[in-house]
Amino acid sequence: MTSTVTPYPQMADFSSRGPSLSSHGDLLKPDLAAPGVNVLAAVAPPSNAGHSYAFYSGTSMAAPHIAGLAALYLGKHPDWTPMMVKSALMTTTSDVKTATGAVDNDPFARGAGEVQPSRMLDPGLVYDSGDADWLGYLEGNGVDTGTGVPAIDPSNYNAPSIAVGELVGTQTITRRVTAVTGGLYRATVSVPGMKAVVTPSILNLQTGQTKSFTVKLTQDTAPSHETTSGWLTWQGAGTSVRSPIVVVPTSVIAPTNVTGSGASGSVSFDATVGKAGVPIRAYGFTSAPQVPGEVPAGAADADLPNYPVTVTAATKAVQWNIKTVDPAGSIWMVLYKVVNGQMQLLSFEGTGANEASATVAAPSPGVWGVLAITLSNPPGADTTKYTMQTNIVTGGGSLKVTPTTAPAAGKPFQVTASWSGLPTGQRSTGFVEFPNRAGTVVTVN
């Protein structure tokens, strides 16, 4: 007989996840985690079969844990602000685990980690904030508060976490801390794929003293538009003060897709990069043969025609183009990626017209694909017949791009993609690549 020990603590499947859309990713949510599954709680007997206690799950259980701990804090420090209490709870957390027992590295699931009552009363440093901070944050998000408070970059709100929803090249974040326990504190910081520098990296504070510092984050090897996260930790005075850092590095701000037409031609668009002099490269065009297929309306998922592509590090973009033979037909595609051996459905592509397209720019290695689906066949037909074209962009081809290096950082400039000699009667796909696998897909009809 074998027994299985469930790693603890884990985030419940039903727990809410970030990022925070209202803050555009510049404020980390959730803040932290607390017990919230099968918690024995006092309940109202009339609605619980006469029982005075029952096992409940959800935010209704986690929130009282935090509220109770905050009440204990205010009992010891009645003059503390709510944000000082919140900071103490967030910076003294412990790690959350995955189902395999590994550390859960998803900040949008666990926030700063699981609250630790045994450590919370000794936070060392706290990140405090008041009305002016919140008003400046709102002004920075484009809200006119009518108070005259200057706007701040939303990422500079003095939270006990750091979040940047779109970091183009380099960004410097400002924070200030107040010493609960005076002493010498040294900073360590690590964010995978980023260069992170804390200035000053040593703080010498008296009890009650407040000092500011900056964290400069620069995109290094981190893929563009993919979230990366790490930690900033201040160690000293017999304690450690840990804050999560969450960044979405962005090599370039440019359209994901542009379209053109003709066997020869060009299309222009604006781009902004984080570093001058970086290369801009062109790949393609690719124009694959159109393969016939058919699908009946109402077919089970397992019977839908499947068009998988094995993506490698050399794959710049993949585009599937589908069109019904009968102009009166309607067709859709379901885009998926295989994750841990399972097909993970990502999006439903199409409008119900007789053609649809699905595009993946700079896809991560693995198996990607689409399923062809229709909800109704053309009049008098048992199936919907179509042609499928799968364009896989790697290298070579007639696509040219100017300029070939970015002329400036942080300022928009025009990029022109041009081509010649493309086949007629079908779509061709190319890719304009910026650093860190970011880029723009060029589709020519």
Side-chain angles (χ1 to χ4, degrees):
M1 181 177 180
T2 59
S3 61
T4 302
V5 177
T6 301
Y8 176 85
Q10 285 187 54
M11 298 307 302
D13 291 340
F14 56 78
S15 183
S16 61
R17 260 71 171 174
S20 169
L21 300 180
S22 62
S23 69
H24 309 291
D26 291 331
L27 194 65
L28 176 61
K29 292 294 176 180
D31 293 311
L32 73 171
V37 178
N38 292 334
V39 177
L40 183 63
V43 297
S47 57
N48 287 272
H51 298 151
S52 298
Y53 299 90
F55 288 98
Y56 272 29
S57 299
T59 305
S60 297
M61 295 296 99
H65 277 87
I66 299 301
L69 294 175
L72 291 175
Y73 232 117
L74 292 172
K76 181 177 180 179
H77 299 286
D79 57 338
W80 275 29
T81 68
M83 293 305 156
M84 292 172 73
V85 176
K86 177 179 177 178
S87 175
L89 293 173
M90 287 180 62
T91 60
T92 57
T93 57
S94 63
D95 290 331
V96 174
K97 298 179 181 180
T98 66
T100 64
V103 174
D104 188 338
N105 289 318
D106 183 3
F108 298 135
R110 44 83 176 154
E114 187 192 31
V115 66
Q116 289 298 304
S118 61
R119 293 192 59 223
M120 70 176 192
L121 294 175
D122 185 24
L125 306 172
V126 290
Y127 296 78
D128 194 12
S129 58
D131 292 347
D133 297 273
W134 279 112
L135 290 169
Y137 167 84
L138 290 173
E139 292 280 353
N141 269 313
V143 178
D144 183 3
T145 65
T147 61
V149 173
I152 63 172
D153 186 296
S155 293
N156 282 338
Y157 169 72
N158 200 50
S161 58
I162 293 175
V164 185
E166 185 178 65
L167 187 150
V168 182
T170 297
Q171 185 165 335
T172 300
I173 294 93
T174 301
R175 287 290 186 272
R176 64 181 186 274
V177 288
T178 301
V180 177
T181 305
L184 197 69
Y185 290 84
R186 299 177 184 272
T188 58
V189 61
S190 176
V191 183
M194 305 290 294
K195 294 179 180 178
V197 178
V198 180
T199 306
S201 60
I202 299 176
L203 294 176
N204 191 5
L205 302 103
Q206 303 296 320
T207 299
Q209 186 178 12
T210 299
K211 288 188 177 181
S212 297
F213 64 91
T214 62
V215 181
K216 184 179 181 181
L217 297 171
T218 303
Q219 185 178 16
D220 187 16
T221 60
S224 190
H225 301 290
E226 292 186 16
T227 301
T228 182
S229 65
W231 299 93
L232 163 66
T233 304
W234 290 98
Q235 293 178 313
T239 189
S240 61
V241 187
R242 188 177 75 162
S243 296
I245 301 177
V246 184
V247 182
V248 181
T250 306
S251 298
V252 61
I253 299 175
T256 304
N257 296 276
V258 294
T259 59
S261 61
S264 300
S266 66
V267 62
S268 297
F269 57 90
D270 287 339
T272 303
V273 298
K275 183 178 180 180
V278 295
I280 305 173
R281 299 185 174 95
Y283 297 88
F285 281 96
T286 297
S287 184
Q290 296 173 348
V291 178
E294 59 182 312
V295 59
D301 290 350
D303 297 326
L304 295 176
N306 187 7
Y307 298 88
V309 172
T310 300
V311 170
T312 69
T315 306
K316 304 300 179 181
V318 183
Q319 185 179 79
W320 294 266
N321 299 303
I322 192 170
K323 186 174 183 178
T324 63
V325 175
D326 187 335
S330 63
I331 198 77
W332 286 265
M333 289 185 290
V334 180
L335 177 66
Y336 71 84
K337 185 183 180 185
V338 175
V339 179
N340 296 325
Q342 300 294 318
M343 185 182 293
Q344 185 179 85
L345 304 182
L346 302 176
S347 60
F348 201 57
E349 306 290 341
T351 63
N354 72 317
E355 59 182 321
S357 180
T359 304
V360 180
S364 57
V367 177
W368 296 70
V370 296
L371 303 174
I373 184 173
T374 187
L375 304 181
S376 61
N377 298 318
D382 295 328
T383 63
T384 295
K385 296 183 179 180
Y386 60 81
T387 58
M388 172 70 80
Q389 181 193 44
T390 305
N391 289 342
I392 305 171
V393 182
T394 52
S398 62
L399 181 61
K400 308 295 181 185
V401 63
T402 55
T404 56
T405 57
K411 297 180 180 180
F413 62 94
Q414 189 175 79
V415 177
T416 298
S418 58
W419 60 88
S420 62
L422 296 185
T424 58
Q426 59 191 60
R427 285 183 176 176
S428 298
T429 309
F431 187 68
V432 176
E433 185 181 60
F434 298 90
N436 298 78
R437 289 181 60 79
T440 299
V441 175
V442 182
T443 303
V444 176
N445 295 317

